[in-house]
Amino acid sequence: MINHSEPAAGKLLISEPFLNDPHFTRSVILLVDTTPEGTLGMIINQPTALLVSDLLQDLAGADFPVYSGGPVNTELIHFIHRCPEKIGEGQELAKGIFWGGNYEDFKRCMLEHTVSKDEIRVFIGYAGWDPGQLQEELSSNTWIVSDQYDSDMVFNADEEQLWRDVVVNMGPRYAHISQFPKNPNLN
């Protein structure tokens, strides 16, 4: 088994290099909730072609990109941020990374442009696992759990490069994985 860490809110799930599921290929997921009822996270490296203003009519002019958080409940909007002084009531997941918060604060920041694109990520949908499901996937080496990252990786990273950067950041034991091709049959 390549994973040696338990999933928890604030940790990352990194997909194994050859995962064929189109929702999760080379994905990095920030776990936001782990309970006996299941696990919930947001894919942080899959931007969509949508903007916040496309989804929320009362936020016209909010030209922030929207990311695909995962295939579950794609009508729901979630956000993570690193500006608790601007958006209160968020749940701190890891040092300097907050999930959700006061929706009126969020709207005000979007409309007044007082938050920058490197301070917030907005998602449609989420990734979710029923009780025991994620443990099964970890046992079959589908995911690696890591806490070896910082908020700059989450908010400033090049989405195409993020998977590789997170894997390399885990150290030499994992770094070689970052060089694997997406499709070994094309090698």
Side-chain angles (χ1 to χ4, degrees):
M1 186 156 94
I2 60 174
N3 183 65
H4 295 285
S5 184
E6 288 298 312
K11 291 189 178 184
L12 297 179
L13 280 184
I14 301 117
S15 67
E16 63 95 355
F18 306 121
L19 185 60
N20 246 348
D21 184 321
H23 296 290
F24 298 111
T25 301
R26 300 276 167 125
S27 64
V28 178
I29 298 173
L30 176 63
L31 295 177
V32 297
D33 197 23
T34 54
T35 66
E37 290 79 38
T39 303
L40 184 139
M42 305 294 155
I43 303 170
I44 59 175
N45 64 329
Q46 289 186 4
T48 70
L50 298 170
L51 298 175
V52 169
S53 58
D54 296 329
L55 300 176
L56 300 169
Q57 293 178 338
D58 57 340
L59 292 179
D63 63 347
F64 287 77
V66 175
Y67 292 77
S68 172
V72 182
N73 284 339
T74 56
E75 69 280 356
L76 292 179
I77 295 174
H78 297 268
F79 62 94
I80 60 171
H81 62 91
R82 59 177 175 177
C83 51
E85 70 285 353
K86 297 176 187 176
I87 303 173
E89 302 173 18
Q91 176 185 342
E92 188 167 25
L93 299 172
K95 186 176 178 163
I97 300 176
F98 297 81
W99 176 36
N102 183 289
Y103 184 67
E104 293 304 315
D105 290 349
F106 167 78
K107 281 178 31 178
R108 186 184 66 258
C109 287
M110 290 281 148
L111 290 171
E112 296 175 0
H113 303 285
T114 56
V115 66
S116 65
K117 292 176 183 168
D118 68 345
E119 291 180 300
I120 194 164
R121 289 258 169 123
V122 178
F123 304 92
I124 50 173
Y126 62 87
W129 293 265
D130 289 331
Q133 182 182 4
L134 183 55
Q135 286 300 333
E136 279 182 37
E137 292 179 15
L138 288 168
S139 299
S140 64
N141 294 321
T142 302
W143 304 100
I144 303 168
V145 179
S146 175
D147 59 5
Q148 302 297 311
Y149 72 99
D150 61 34
S151 65
D152 285 341
M153 292 178 85
V154 172
F155 292 98
N156 291 334
D158 171 357
E159 293 86 7
E160 288 287 319
Q161 186 69 27
L162 182 60
W163 181 87
R164 181 178 306 242
D165 291 347
V166 169
V167 170
V168 168
N169 198 53
M170 291 176 63
R173 177 169 186 225
Y174 296 96
H176 71 284
I177 294 171
S178 72
Q179 300 303 316
F180 292 176
K182 280 186 179 180
N183 185 342
N185 295 324
L186 300 177
N187 197 14

